[in-house]
PDB file of all heavy atoms in Angstrom:
ATOM      1  N   ARG A 639      16.789   8.562  -6.931  1.00 91.00           N
ATOM      2  CA  ARG A 639      16.271   7.476  -7.767  1.00 91.00           C
ATOM      3  C   ARG A 639      16.599   6.109  -7.171  1.00 91.00           C
ATOM      4  O   ARG A 639      15.761   5.194  -7.191  1.00 91.00           O
ATOM      5  CB  ARG A 639      16.850   7.587  -9.183  1.00 91.00           C
ATOM      6  CG  ARG A 639      16.385   8.804  -9.967  1.00 91.00           C
ATOM      7  CD  ARG A 639      14.891   8.746 -10.237  1.00 91.00           C
ATOM      8  NE  ARG A 639      14.448   9.841 -11.087  1.00 91.00           N
ATOM      9  CZ  ARG A 639      14.003  11.009 -10.658  1.00 91.00           C
ATOM     10  NH1 ARG A 639      13.959  11.228  -9.340  1.00 91.00           N
ATOM     11  NH2 ARG A 639      13.608  11.938 -11.502  1.00 91.00           N
ATOM     12  N   VAL A 640      17.822   5.967  -6.656  1.00 94.00           N
ATOM     13  CA  VAL A 640      18.198   4.698  -6.022  1.00 94.00           C
ATOM     14  C   VAL A 640      17.318   4.441  -4.802  1.00 94.00           C
ATOM     15  O   VAL A 640      16.827   3.322  -4.595  1.00 94.00           O
ATOM     16  CB  VAL A 640      19.687   4.708  -5.629  1.00 94.00           C
ATOM     17  CG1 VAL A 640      20.034   3.483  -4.796  1.00 94.00           C
ATOM     18  CG2 VAL A 640      20.572   4.766  -6.879  1.00 94.00           C
ATOM     19  N   TYR A 641      17.107   5.479  -3.979  1.00 92.00           N
ATOM     20  CA  TYR A 641      16.267   5.348  -2.784  1.00 92.00           C
ATOM     21  C   TYR A 641      14.853   4.930  -3.162  1.00 92.00           C
ATOM     22  O   TYR A 641      14.287   3.988  -2.574  1.00 92.00           O
ATOM     23  CB  TYR A 641      16.253   6.667  -2.024  1.00 92.00           C
ATOM     24  CG  TYR A 641      15.156   6.786  -0.994  1.00 92.00           C
ATOM     25  CD1 TYR A 641      15.232   6.115   0.225  1.00 92.00           C
ATOM     26  CD2 TYR A 641      14.030   7.570  -1.250  1.00 92.00           C
ATOM     27  CE1 TYR A 641      14.212   6.215   1.160  1.00 92.00           C
ATOM     28  CE2 TYR A 641      13.013   7.673  -0.317  1.00 92.00           C
ATOM     29  CZ  TYR A 641      13.104   7.002   0.883  1.00 92.00           C
ATOM     30  OH  TYR A 641      12.093   7.099   1.802  1.00 92.00           O
ATOM     31  N   MET A 642      14.268   5.614  -4.159  1.00 90.00           N
ATOM     32  CA  MET A 642      12.906   5.282  -4.560  1.00 90.00           C
ATOM     33  C   MET A 642      12.842   3.886  -5.165  1.00 90.00           C
ATOM     34  O   MET A 642      11.860   3.160  -4.977  1.00 90.00           O
ATOM     35  CB  MET A 642      12.374   6.324  -5.550  1.00 90.00           C
ATOM     36  CG  MET A 642      12.059   7.666  -4.900  1.00 90.00           C
ATOM     37  SD  MET A 642      11.090   8.773  -5.945  1.00 90.00           S
ATOM     38  CE  MET A 642      12.243   9.081  -7.272  1.00 90.00           C
ATOM     39  N   GLY A 643      13.896   3.492  -5.891  1.00 91.00           N
ATOM     40  CA  GLY A 643      13.911   2.148  -6.444  1.00 91.00           C
ATOM     41  C   GLY A 643      13.913   1.088  -5.360  1.00 91.00           C
ATOM     42  O   GLY A 643      13.205   0.069  -5.463  1.00 91.00           O
ATOM     43  N   ILE A 644      14.701   1.306  -4.307  1.00 92.00           N
ATOM     44  CA  ILE A 644      14.748   0.348  -3.195  1.00 92.00           C
ATOM     45  C   ILE A 644      13.402   0.287  -2.480  1.00 92.00           C
ATOM     46  O   ILE A 644      12.877  -0.793  -2.189  1.00 92.00           O
ATOM     47  CB  ILE A 644      15.868   0.724  -2.214  1.00 92.00           C
ATOM     48  CG1 ILE A 644      17.238   0.579  -2.892  1.00 92.00           C
ATOM     49  CG2 ILE A 644      15.804  -0.135  -0.953  1.00 92.00           C
ATOM     50  CD1 ILE A 644      18.393   1.094  -2.056  1.00 92.00           C
ATOM     51  N   VAL A 645      12.829   1.475  -2.191  1.00 90.00           N
ATOM     52  CA  VAL A 645      11.560   1.524  -1.449  1.00 90.00           C
ATOM     53  C   VAL A 645      10.443   0.877  -2.247  1.00 90.00           C
ATOM     54  O   VAL A 645       9.659   0.076  -1.706  1.00 90.00           O
ATOM     55  CB  VAL A 645      11.201   2.976  -1.090  1.00 90.00           C
ATOM     56  CG1 VAL A 645       9.803   3.032  -0.472  1.00 90.00           C
ATOM     57  CG2 VAL A 645      12.216   3.556  -0.116  1.00 90.00           C
ATOM     58  N   ILE A 646      10.338   1.220  -3.547  1.00 88.00           N
ATOM     59  CA  ILE A 646       9.218   0.666  -4.331  1.00 88.00           C
ATOM     60  C   ILE A 646       9.371  -0.842  -4.485  1.00 88.00           C
ATOM     61  O   ILE A 646       8.372  -1.571  -4.527  1.00 88.00           O
ATOM     62  CB  ILE A 646       9.137   1.356  -5.711  1.00 88.00           C
ATOM     63  CG1 ILE A 646       7.769   1.086  -6.369  1.00 88.00           C
ATOM     64  CG2 ILE A 646      10.246   0.905  -6.625  1.00 88.00           C
ATOM     65  CD1 ILE A 646       6.607   1.665  -5.618  1.00 88.00           C
ATOM     66  N   THR A 647      10.622  -1.340  -4.535  1.00 90.00           N
ATOM     67  CA  THR A 647      10.831  -2.792  -4.594  1.00 90.00           C
ATOM     68  C   THR A 647      10.341  -3.461  -3.316  1.00 90.00           C
ATOM     69  O   THR A 647       9.653  -4.500  -3.358  1.00 90.00           O
ATOM     70  CB  THR A 647      12.322  -3.107  -4.817  1.00 90.00           C
ATOM     71  OG1 THR A 647      12.762  -2.506  -6.044  1.00 90.00           O
ATOM     72  CG2 THR A 647      12.545  -4.610  -4.882  1.00 90.00           C
ATOM     73  N   LEU A 648      10.662  -2.855  -2.166  1.00 88.00           N
ATOM     74  CA  LEU A 648      10.212  -3.409  -0.886  1.00 88.00           C
ATOM     75  C   LEU A 648       8.693  -3.334  -0.767  1.00 88.00           C
ATOM     76  O   LEU A 648       8.050  -4.246  -0.228  1.00 88.00           O
ATOM     77  CB  LEU A 648      10.877  -2.662   0.266  1.00 88.00           C
ATOM     78  CG  LEU A 648      12.403  -2.824   0.382  1.00 88.00           C
ATOM     79  CD1 LEU A 648      12.938  -1.941   1.487  1.00 88.00           C
ATOM     80  CD2 LEU A 648      12.767  -4.282   0.644  1.00 88.00           C
ATOM     81  N   VAL A 649       8.125  -2.229  -1.270  1.00 85.00           N
ATOM     82  CA  VAL A 649       6.671  -2.079  -1.204  1.00 85.00           C
ATOM     83  C   VAL A 649       5.986  -3.156  -2.033  1.00 85.00           C
ATOM     84  O   VAL A 649       4.999  -3.772  -1.596  1.00 85.00           O
ATOM     85  CB  VAL A 649       6.254  -0.672  -1.699  1.00 85.00           C
ATOM     86  CG1 VAL A 649       4.745  -0.605  -1.923  1.00 85.00           C
ATOM     87  CG2 VAL A 649       6.669   0.383  -0.692  1.00 85.00           C
ATOM     88  N   LYS A 650       6.504  -3.392  -3.234  1.00 83.00           N
ATOM     89  CA  LYS A 650       5.884  -4.398  -4.095  1.00 83.00           C
ATOM     90  C   LYS A 650       6.058  -5.811  -3.540  1.00 83.00           C
ATOM     91  O   LYS A 650       5.179  -6.663  -3.700  1.00 83.00           O
ATOM     92  CB  LYS A 650       6.496  -4.319  -5.496  1.00 83.00           C
ATOM     93  CG  LYS A 650       6.236  -3.014  -6.222  1.00 83.00           C
ATOM     94  CD  LYS A 650       4.761  -2.721  -6.372  1.00 83.00           C
ATOM     95  CE  LYS A 650       4.533  -1.426  -7.140  1.00 83.00           C
ATOM     96  NZ  LYS A 650       3.070  -1.093  -7.242  1.00 83.00           N
ATOM     97  N   LEU A 651       7.189  -6.061  -2.867  1.00 85.00           N
ATOM     98  CA  LEU A 651       7.442  -7.396  -2.345  1.00 85.00           C
ATOM     99  C   LEU A 651       6.744  -7.663  -1.015  1.00 85.00           C
ATOM    100  O   LEU A 651       6.167  -8.728  -0.797  1.00 85.00           O
ATOM    101  CB  LEU A 651       8.948  -7.618  -2.180  1.00 85.00           C
ATOM    102  CG  LEU A 651       9.776  -7.710  -3.461  1.00 85.00           C
ATOM    103  CD1 LEU A 651      11.250  -7.840  -3.134  1.00 85.00           C
ATOM    104  CD2 LEU A 651       9.307  -8.890  -4.317  1.00 85.00           C
ATOM    105  N   PHE A 652       6.789  -6.666  -0.118  1.00 81.00           N
ATOM    106  CA  PHE A 652       6.289  -6.890   1.237  1.00 81.00           C
ATOM    107  C   PHE A 652       5.163  -5.937   1.642  1.00 81.00           C
ATOM    108  O   PHE A 652       4.553  -6.145   2.700  1.00 81.00           O
ATOM    109  CB  PHE A 652       7.430  -6.736   2.259  1.00 81.00           C
ATOM    110  CG  PHE A 652       8.638  -7.573   1.935  1.00 81.00           C
ATOM    111  CD1 PHE A 652       9.787  -6.983   1.446  1.00 81.00           C
ATOM    112  CD2 PHE A 652       8.609  -8.943   2.116  1.00 81.00           C
ATOM    113  CE1 PHE A 652      10.909  -7.748   1.149  1.00 81.00           C
ATOM    114  CE2 PHE A 652       9.711  -9.716   1.824  1.00 81.00           C
ATOM    115  CZ  PHE A 652      10.866  -9.119   1.330  1.00 81.00           C
ATOM    116  N   GLY A 653       4.937  -4.911   0.850  1.00 71.00           N
ATOM    117  CA  GLY A 653       3.947  -3.917   1.237  1.00 71.00           C
ATOM    118  C   GLY A 653       2.525  -4.397   1.030  1.00 71.00           C
ATOM    119  O   GLY A 653       2.260  -5.480   0.495  1.00 71.00           O
ATOM    120  N   ARG A 654       1.602  -3.570   1.474  1.00 68.00           N
ATOM    121  CA  ARG A 654       0.200  -3.884   1.320  1.00 68.00           C
ATOM    122  C   ARG A 654      -0.476  -2.802   0.488  1.00 68.00           C
ATOM    123  O   ARG A 654      -0.037  -1.663   0.446  1.00 68.00           O
ATOM    124  CB  ARG A 654      -0.481  -3.979   2.688  1.00 68.00           C
ATOM    125  CG  ARG A 654       0.034  -5.123   3.546  1.00 68.00           C
ATOM    126  CD  ARG A 654      -0.696  -5.167   4.874  1.00 68.00           C
ATOM    127  NE  ARG A 654      -0.488  -3.956   5.656  1.00 68.00           N
ATOM    128  CZ  ARG A 654      -1.119  -3.668   6.779  1.00 68.00           C
ATOM    129  NH1 ARG A 654      -2.045  -4.490   7.235  1.00 68.00           N
ATOM    130  NH2 ARG A 654      -0.861  -2.556   7.439  1.00 68.00           N
ATOM    131  N   LYS A 655      -1.559  -3.150  -0.142  1.00 70.00           N
ATOM    132  CA  LYS A 655      -2.310  -2.190  -0.928  1.00 70.00           C
ATOM    133  C   LYS A 655      -2.951  -1.159  -0.002  1.00 70.00           C
ATOM    134  O   LYS A 655      -3.130  -1.412   1.191  1.00 70.00           O
ATOM    135  CB  LYS A 655      -3.382  -2.907  -1.749  1.00 70.00           C
ATOM    136  CG  LYS A 655      -2.815  -3.833  -2.819  1.00 70.00           C
ATOM    137  CD  LYS A 655      -3.943  -4.465  -3.623  1.00 70.00           C
ATOM    138  CE  LYS A 655      -3.379  -5.358  -4.720  1.00 70.00           C
ATOM    139  NZ  LYS A 655      -4.452  -5.986  -5.536  1.00 70.00           N
ATOM    140  N   PRO A 656      -3.309   0.012  -0.552  1.00 73.00           N
ATOM    141  CA  PRO A 656      -3.896   1.059   0.305  1.00 73.00           C
ATOM    142  C   PRO A 656      -5.108   0.586   1.104  1.00 73.00           C
ATOM    143  O   PRO A 656      -5.288   0.990   2.252  1.00 73.00           O
ATOM    144  CB  PRO A 656      -4.281   2.141  -0.710  1.00 73.00           C
ATOM    145  CG  PRO A 656      -3.312   1.975  -1.829  1.00 73.00           C
ATOM    146  CD  PRO A 656      -3.081   0.487  -1.923  1.00 73.00           C
ATOM    147  N   ASP A 657      -5.948  -0.269   0.496  1.00 67.00           N
ATOM    148  CA  ASP A 657      -7.131  -0.721   1.232  1.00 67.00           C
ATOM    149  C   ASP A 657      -6.788  -1.697   2.346  1.00 67.00           C
ATOM    150  O   ASP A 657      -7.651  -2.063   3.157  1.00 67.00           O
ATOM    151  CB  ASP A 657      -8.161  -1.354   0.282  1.00 67.00           C
ATOM    152  CG  ASP A 657      -7.562  -2.496  -0.533  1.00 67.00           C
ATOM    153  OD1 ASP A 657      -6.332  -2.619  -0.538  1.00 67.00           O
ATOM    154  OD2 ASP A 657      -8.333  -3.247  -1.146  1.00 67.00           O
ATOM    155  N   LYS A 658      -5.512  -2.140   2.408  1.00 74.00           N
ATOM    156  CA  LYS A 658      -5.052  -2.982   3.510  1.00 74.00           C
ATOM    157  C   LYS A 658      -4.313  -2.159   4.556  1.00 74.00           C
ATOM    158  O   LYS A 658      -4.390  -2.437   5.752  1.00 74.00           O
ATOM    159  CB  LYS A 658      -4.139  -4.085   2.979  1.00 74.00           C
ATOM    160  CG  LYS A 658      -4.799  -4.993   1.943  1.00 74.00           C
ATOM    161  CD  LYS A 658      -5.984  -5.737   2.522  1.00 74.00           C
ATOM    162  CE  LYS A 658      -6.585  -6.678   1.479  1.00 74.00           C
ATOM    163  NZ  LYS A 658      -7.780  -7.398   2.009  1.00 74.00           N
ATOM    164  N   ARG A 659      -3.585  -1.133   4.086  1.00 79.00           N
ATOM    165  CA  ARG A 659      -2.834  -0.290   5.021  1.00 79.00           C
ATOM    166  C   ARG A 659      -3.759   0.680   5.753  1.00 79.00           C
ATOM    167  O   ARG A 659      -3.477   1.098   6.866  1.00 79.00           O
ATOM    168  CB  ARG A 659      -1.745   0.486   4.271  1.00 79.00           C
ATOM    169  CG  ARG A 659      -0.565  -0.387   3.869  1.00 79.00           C
ATOM    170  CD  ARG A 659       0.587   0.443   3.326  1.00 79.00           C
ATOM    171  NE  ARG A 659       0.340   0.878   1.967  1.00 79.00           N
ATOM    172  CZ  ARG A 659       0.373   2.141   1.564  1.00 79.00           C
ATOM    173  NH1 ARG A 659       0.592   3.107   2.429  1.00 79.00           N
ATOM    174  NH2 ARG A 659       0.176   2.450   0.301  1.00 79.00           N
ATOM    175  N   TYR A 660      -4.833   1.072   5.104  1.00 84.00           N
ATOM    176  CA  TYR A 660      -5.803   1.969   5.720  1.00 84.00           C
ATOM    177  C   TYR A 660      -7.149   1.261   5.801  1.00 84.00           C
ATOM    178  O   TYR A 660      -7.436   0.332   5.040  1.00 84.00           O
ATOM    179  CB  TYR A 660      -5.953   3.252   4.898  1.00 84.00           C
ATOM    180  CG  TYR A 660      -4.672   4.021   4.717  1.00 84.00           C
ATOM    181  CD1 TYR A 660      -3.937   3.906   3.535  1.00 84.00           C
ATOM    182  CD2 TYR A 660      -4.175   4.853   5.714  1.00 84.00           C
ATOM    183  CE1 TYR A 660      -2.750   4.612   3.358  1.00 84.00           C
ATOM    184  CE2 TYR A 660      -2.999   5.555   5.550  1.00 84.00           C
ATOM    185  CZ  TYR A 660      -2.296   5.429   4.365  1.00 84.00           C
ATOM    186  OH  TYR A 660      -1.127   6.121   4.197  1.00 84.00           O
ATOM    187  N   LYS A 661      -7.952   1.718   6.727  1.00 87.00           N
ATOM    188  CA  LYS A 661      -9.268   1.109   6.873  1.00 87.00           C
ATOM    189  C   LYS A 661     -10.135   1.473   5.679  1.00 87.00           C
ATOM    190  O   LYS A 661     -10.252   2.647   5.320  1.00 87.00           O
ATOM    191  CB  LYS A 661      -9.928   1.586   8.172  1.00 87.00           C
ATOM    192  CG  LYS A 661     -11.262   0.903   8.454  1.00 87.00           C
ATOM    193  CD  LYS A 661     -11.873   1.377   9.758  1.00 87.00           C
ATOM    194  CE  LYS A 661     -13.205   0.701  10.020  1.00 87.00           C
ATOM    195  NZ  LYS A 661     -13.834   1.163  11.279  1.00 87.00           N
ATOM    196  N   TRP A 662     -10.722   0.476   5.082  1.00 88.00           N
ATOM    197  CA  TRP A 662     -11.612   0.701   3.943  1.00 88.00           C
ATOM    198  C   TRP A 662     -12.767  -0.264   4.022  1.00 88.00           C
ATOM    199  O   TRP A 662     -12.577  -1.481   4.080  1.00 88.00           O
ATOM    200  CB  TRP A 662     -10.869   0.509   2.624  1.00 88.00           C
ATOM    201  CG  TRP A 662     -11.673   0.930   1.416  1.00 88.00           C
ATOM    202  CD1 TRP A 662     -11.637   2.140   0.794  1.00 88.00           C
ATOM    203  CD2 TRP A 662     -12.638   0.133   0.710  1.00 88.00           C
ATOM    204  NE1 TRP A 662     -12.521   2.157  -0.269  1.00 88.00           N
ATOM    205  CE2 TRP A 662     -13.158   0.932  -0.343  1.00 88.00           C
ATOM    206  CE3 TRP A 662     -13.118  -1.160   0.865  1.00 88.00           C
ATOM    207  CZ2 TRP A 662     -14.119   0.479  -1.233  1.00 88.00           C
ATOM    208  CZ3 TRP A 662     -14.105  -1.624  -0.027  1.00 88.00           C
ATOM    209  CH2 TRP A 662     -14.578  -0.815  -1.058  1.00 88.00           C
ATOM    210  N   GLU A 663     -13.956   0.283   4.076  1.00 89.00           N
ATOM    211  CA  GLU A 663     -15.167  -0.518   4.057  1.00 89.00           C
ATOM    212  C   GLU A 663     -16.149   0.121   3.093  1.00 89.00           C
ATOM    213  O   GLU A 663     -16.284   1.345   3.052  1.00 89.00           O
ATOM    214  CB  GLU A 663     -15.801  -0.609   5.448  1.00 89.00           C
ATOM    215  CG  GLU A 663     -14.971  -1.365   6.478  1.00 89.00           C
ATOM    216  CD  GLU A 663     -15.652  -1.405   7.829  1.00 89.00           C
ATOM    217  OE1 GLU A 663     -16.791  -0.875   7.935  1.00 89.00           O
ATOM    218  OE2 GLU A 663     -15.073  -1.951   8.777  1.00 89.00           O
ATOM    219  N   ALA A 664     -16.804  -0.691   2.332  1.00 88.00           N
ATOM    220  CA  ALA A 664     -17.788  -0.179   1.378  1.00 88.00           C
ATOM    221  C   ALA A 664     -18.911   0.547   2.108  1.00 88.00           C
ATOM    222  O   ALA A 664     -19.337   0.140   3.197  1.00 88.00           O
ATOM    223  CB  ALA A 664     -18.347  -1.331   0.545  1.00 88.00           C
ATOM    224  N   MET A 665     -19.370   1.633   1.513  1.00 87.00           N
ATOM    225  CA  MET A 665     -20.481   2.386   2.081  1.00 87.00           C
ATOM    226  C   MET A 665     -21.749   1.531   2.019  1.00 87.00           C
ATOM    227  O   MET A 665     -22.052   0.919   0.987  1.00 87.00           O
ATOM    228  CB  MET A 665     -20.686   3.694   1.314  1.00 87.00           C
ATOM    229  CG  MET A 665     -19.446   4.579   1.249  1.00 87.00           C
ATOM    230  SD  MET A 665     -18.998   5.275   2.849  1.00 87.00           S
ATOM    231  CE  MET A 665     -20.402   6.324   3.174  1.00 87.00           C
ATOM    232  N   LYS A 666     -22.471   1.490   3.130  1.00 85.00           N
ATOM    233  CA  LYS A 666     -23.667   0.651   3.202  1.00 85.00           C
ATOM    234  C   LYS A 666     -24.899   1.503   3.447  1.00 85.00           C
ATOM    235  O   LYS A 666     -24.836   2.573   4.055  1.00 85.00           O
ATOM    236  CB  LYS A 666     -23.513  -0.380   4.334  1.00 85.00           C
ATOM    237  CG  LYS A 666     -22.346  -1.341   4.127  1.00 85.00           C
ATOM    238  CD  LYS A 666     -22.238  -2.309   5.279  1.00 85.00           C
ATOM    239  CE  LYS A 666     -21.060  -3.255   5.092  1.00 85.00           C
ATOM    240  NZ  LYS A 666     -20.924  -4.204   6.229  1.00 85.00           N
ATOM    241  N   ASP A 667     -26.026   1.002   2.963  1.00 85.00           N
ATOM    242  CA  ASP A 667     -27.295   1.703   3.170  1.00 85.00           C
ATOM    243  C   ASP A 667     -27.704   1.631   4.631  1.00 85.00           C
ATOM    244  O   ASP A 667     -27.430   0.646   5.332  1.00 85.00           O
ATOM    245  CB  ASP A 667     -28.395   1.085   2.303  1.00 85.00           C
ATOM    246  CG  ASP A 667     -28.137   1.287   0.818  1.00 85.00           C
ATOM    247  OD1 ASP A 667     -27.483   2.288   0.470  1.00 85.00           O
ATOM    248  OD2 ASP A 667     -28.583   0.440   0.016  1.00 85.00           O
TER     249      ASP A 667
END
């Protein structure tokens, strides 16, 4: 629990959303 608390705090402060960490582009016609 302590480990997950530290990691999730760092993720919220310095992390990026999934669409920033992974390539995401809207599907186009």
Side-chain angles (χ1 to χ4, degrees):
R639 293 295 185 268
V640 172
Y641 165 75
M642 288 193 295
I644 294 173
V645 173
I646 196 64
T647 301
L648 294 175
V649 168
K650 296 302 182 183
L651 291 176
F652 308 106
R654 295 181 298 172
K655 294 182 178 180
D657 56 347
K658 301 298 182 182
R659 286 189 283 125
Y660 302 99
K661 185 179 179 181
W662 189 95
E663 294 180 2
M665 304 291 295
K666 298 179 181 179
D667 294 332

